[in-house]
């Protein structure tokens, strides 16, 4: 185990099982709304945090698919509270008339989804749905809905499986908390 880890909150095995369930539900819902043979979806992962989750998820969604990219920053550097969502870059392609599934790692303050969904809709999408791996139990989140949620977690700072602290730890296979001393010097 990595020396900076305090405890494992969600293991890679739990993640794997839940990702399979989410993919199945997304597939079923999507196919029930479209003609099966012609069904298409555009997946938009929010970089960088959703990269690993999205990679696992989409390989289990057997639907004709395009991928668009959006890079958003909300926790720059050593911050562990959102500093507001800033869109850093986009490579969405033409999403006009398309069914879009936005994929993010975690729903925290809800700022990211609130900023990004209207941006996508303003380009004339047929529909925009949202999928997050984690949802933090904290006030404010209730105002922002996600269509698909992997796990509800306590209001703790977590890393791994794509989530970072100061851009590190994304490659850890489990969702974990960090030892107090690792983030104790951060700008809260
Ligand atoms: P929101 O805009 O406040 O909902 O925050 C969403 C973004 O904040 C996520 O995509 C993450 O990049 C980041 N974030 C929120 N909570 C955590 C956490 O516990 N660990 C790492 N990143 C987080
Ligand atoms: Mg982040």
């Amino acid at each position: 185990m990595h020396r900076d880890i305090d405890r494992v909150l969600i293991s890679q095995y739990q993640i794997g099982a839940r990702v399979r369930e989410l993919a199945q539900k997304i597939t079923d819902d999507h196919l029930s709304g479209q003609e099966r043979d012609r069904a298409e979806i555009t997946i938009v992962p929010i970089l960088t945090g959703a990269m690993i989750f999205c990679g696992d998820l989409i390989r289990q969604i057997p639907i004709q698919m395009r991928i668009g990219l959006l890079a958003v920053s909300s926790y720059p550097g050593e911050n562990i509270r959102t500093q507001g969502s800033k869109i850093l870059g986009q490579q969405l392609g033409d999403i006009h008339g398309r069914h879009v599934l936005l994929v993010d790692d975690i729903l925290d303050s809800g700022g990211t989804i609130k900023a990004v969904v209207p941006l996508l809709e303003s380009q004339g999408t047929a529909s925009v749905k949202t999928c997050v791996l984690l949802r933090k139990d904290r006030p404010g989140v209730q105002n922002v809905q996600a269509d698909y949620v992997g796990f509800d977690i306590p209001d703790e700072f977590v890393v791994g499986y794509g989530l970072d602290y100061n851009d590190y730890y994304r490659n850890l296979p489990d969702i974990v908390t960090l030892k107090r001393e690792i983030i104790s010097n951060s700008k809260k």
Side-chain angles (χ1 to χ4, degrees):
M1 194 156 97
H2 192 293
R3 64 178 186 276
D4 296 348
I5 294 176
D6 175 38
R7 69 181 210 284
V8 174
L9 202 65
I10 308 172
S11 74
Q12 55 192 300
Y13 309 104
Q14 291 170 289
I15 296 170
R18 187 68 184 129
V19 170
R20 271 192 295 284
E21 288 175 358
L22 287 172
Q24 184 69 58
K25 177 93 177 79
I26 290 165
T27 304
D28 291 348
D29 288 356
H30 195 75
L31 291 180
S32 72
Q34 288 192 55
E35 233 178 282
R36 221 183 168 85
D37 301 344
R38 308 176 63 171
E40 256 202 59
I41 191 167
T42 301
I43 306 284
V44 177
I46 298 188
L47 302 179
T48 306
M51 189 179 83
I52 293 173
F53 170 43
C54 192
D56 285 347
L57 184 74
I58 61 175
R59 282 177 294 166
Q60 301 184 64
I61 300 179
I63 298 174
Q64 180 92 324
M65 172 181 297
R66 285 178 161 182
I67 298 175
L69 300 176
L70 258 186
V72 177
S73 163
S74 35
Y75 281 37
E78 296 172 355
N79 292 292
I80 58 165
R81 279 292 181 210
T82 183
Q83 305 298 302
S85 306
K86 202 162 125 208
I87 294 174
L88 300 177
Q90 48 179 299
Q91 194 183 307
L92 291 169
D94 183 8
I95 54 170
H96 188 268
R98 295 190 175 272
H99 294 284
V100 172
L101 179 71
L102 189 65
V103 179
D104 205 1
D105 51 1
I106 186 165
L107 177 54
D108 181 23
S109 71
T112 304
I113 286 182
K114 259 194 183 155
V116 166
V117 170
L119 173 86
L120 297 171
E121 287 175 341
S122 73
Q123 302 192 26
T125 47
S127 67
V128 178
K129 286 191 170 179
T130 49
C131 174
V132 294
L133 178 69
L134 307 173
R135 176 171 57 191
K136 263 193 205 176
D137 180 17
R138 57 173 279 205
V141 169
Q142 263 59 316
N143 306 332
V144 178
Q145 304 289 334
D147 296 287
Y148 305 97
V149 177
F151 300 91
D152 281 300
I153 63 164
D155 186 8
E156 283 185 80
F157 192 78
V158 293
V159 299
Y161 197 69
L163 292 117
D164 73 300
Y165 172 62
N166 199 16
D167 258 325
Y168 294 111
Y169 309 108
R170 295 193 197 276
N171 58 321
L172 298 178
D174 309 300
I175 306 276
V176 305
T177 57
L178 290 174
K179 286 185 183 149
R180 205 170 255 278
E181 60 266 29
I182 302 297
I183 48 179
S184 60
N185 297 323
S186 68
K187 306 168 241 156
K188 299 274 152 75

